[in-house]
Amino acid sequence: MLILQHHRLQPVAHCVSPHADARPDSTDISLLVVHGISLPAGQFGGPYINDLFLGCLDCNAHEDFVVLQGLRVSAHCLIRRDGSIVQYVDFDQRAWHAGVSEWQGRERCNDFSIGIELEGTDNTPYTELQYRSLAAMAAVIQENYPAITDSRIVGHEDIAPGRKTDPGPAFNWHHFRTLLQAQKAINNTRK
């Protein structure tokens, strides 16, 4: 069972990303953004996502990485294909995951959102273990940051339409939302 202590999920792996800073208002956390990522594109399980978020990616390690030279990016958490979670940025801090973005007329989504990356691609089905980890994580996040209502859990494609396409058509929103409701019901019985 996941819990949140001092804006950190427990028990998960923690790796501190240098690509984060203070939010303009650390009490204004009102959006959860789901992303999809793979490095190199379509390949899973390697060290490269971790290296990217930690600022130590060798951009000569693969021809696709040349465009990532100097990129400073992070997410609050990554969910690997096996469902394991790594947290890079405490939730009260601003991770650099959304880029140029807008939700319901409000720009700069990094200021008020939590970014969760799923290891995957727009067109590769995400794993059941990933959906279960995401549902467990989202339920705990919603308990602790109640401004993140169900309607305020969105995809990167929703906050940067035309610029971003993830998590893409392979992400089953209905399945995720069903698991999330079930997880919240389980959490409520444990209180």
Side-chain angles (χ1 to χ4, degrees), residues 19-175:
H19 302 155
D21 58 2
R23 293 180 187 272
D25 177 354
S26 65
T27 65
D28 179 17
I29 301 172
S30 58
L31 188 68
L32 190 144
V33 181
V34 179
H35 301 261
I37 188 172
S38 60
L39 288 178
Q43 295 183 28
F44 308 132
Y48 301 117
I49 297 170
N50 195 65
D51 292 349
L52 177 67
F53 291 161
L54 296 179
C56 61
L57 178 67
D58 177 0
C59 290
N60 296 314
H62 192 278
E63 63 187 29
D64 292 352
F65 297 170
V66 173
V67 297
L68 302 176
Q69 187 71 43
L71 183 66
R72 296 170 44 131
V73 66
S74 62
H76 288 92
C77 297
L78 168 69
I79 302 176
R80 295 275 190 187
R81 302 292 289 176
D82 65 2
S84 62
I85 300 168
V86 180
Q87 185 165 0
Y88 296 94
V89 178
D90 291 353
F91 293 136
D92 64 335
Q93 296 293 301
R94 177 171 50 193
W96 303 344
H97 62 94
V100 177
S101 54
E102 179 267 327
W103 180 249
Q104 295 183 339
R106 188 169 175 198
E107 296 180 343
R108 299 179 52 91
C109 293
N110 284 340
D111 291 353
F112 57 95
S113 68
I114 291 174
I116 307 299
E117 295 275 2
L118 299 176
E119 186 176 30
T121 72
D122 290 5
N123 299 303
T124 304
Y126 293 90
T127 71
E128 184 63 21
L129 293 171
Q130 287 179 299
Y131 283 111
R132 292 190 179 281
S133 290
L134 180 61
M137 183 188 307
V140 169
I141 287 170
Q142 287 184 301
E143 272 179 38
N144 288 273
Y145 307 101
I148 301 177
T149 60
D150 290 350
S151 65
R152 295 186 64 84
I153 299 176
V154 300
H156 198 187
E157 61 202 345
D158 298 315
I159 63 168
R163 188 176 72 82
K164 293 295 181 178
T165 59
D166 59 306
F171 187 76
N172 186 331
W173 283 101
H174 176 74
H175 182 56

